Amino acid sequence: LMYYFSSFKNFVDWLSIMYSFLLFWLGGQHLSVLQELKTSLETGSTEVQGTWADPADRLSYFELADRVSASSQNFQTAVAFYPLAVGARFISAFSGQPRLALVTDTLFAAAVDILHFG
């Protein structure tokens, strides 16, 4: 098993697959929290000042809105890093072609300098 994951290409492929599952899970979690918020809003009334007569219901709504905001932030952050996973897959695919492998070998050799000055 360690031999299988010692290859950069296999590692990047599995990392990309795991990251895709993470994105699906975070997206589903966000949709679930949004559904809870929708259900909470449906219990409110427009005739009542503050939408809910009970202050505890109002407080639970705002706590739920805070959860939706945090869930959205987490999902957006995860989606923002997905292009890095796709880029890593391109780099691993380039290593299969001799001429394109020159590019990836150069990037790997210069990685320390790129990170330092980049």
Side-chain angles (χ1 to χ4, degrees):
L1 188 64
M2 287 302 288
Y3 176 74
Y4 180 75
F5 285 113
S6 66
S7 168
F8 177 72
K9 184 174 178 164
N10 288 336
F11 178 74
V12 167
D13 287 342
W14 280 105
L15 185 67
S16 176
I17 290 169
M18 298 289 193
Y19 202 77
S20 297
F21 281 125
L22 175 71
L23 287 179
F24 281 119
W25 180 75
L26 284 174
Q29 181 184 13
H30 180 63
L31 290 176
S32 173
V33 175
L34 279 175
Q35 182 62 36
E36 287 180 47
L37 184 67
K38 180 183 174 192
T39 303
S40 176
L41 280 172
E42 289 172 350
T43 63
S45 172
T46 56
E47 279 98 35
V48 176
Q49 185 178 4
T51 308
W52 291 276
D54 186 16
D57 290 337
R58 198 173 312 121
L59 181 63
S60 69
Y61 166 75
F62 284 111
E63 287 173 351
L64 190 57
D66 188 44
R67 279 183 45 210
V68 167
S69 175
S71 173
S72 176
Q73 179 80 29
N74 291 339
F75 182 64
Q76 289 176 3
T77 302
V79 168
F81 285 105
Y82 189 66
L84 295 176
V86 172
R89 288 197 71 181
F90 274 120
I91 289 174
S92 71
F94 286 172
S95 64
Q97 302 280 335
R99 289 187 181 190
L100 294 175
L102 182 64
V103 174
T104 59
D105 293 341
T106 304
L107 286 174
F108 280 129
V112 173
D113 294 330
I114 291 171
L115 289 174
H116 179 74
F117 294 110

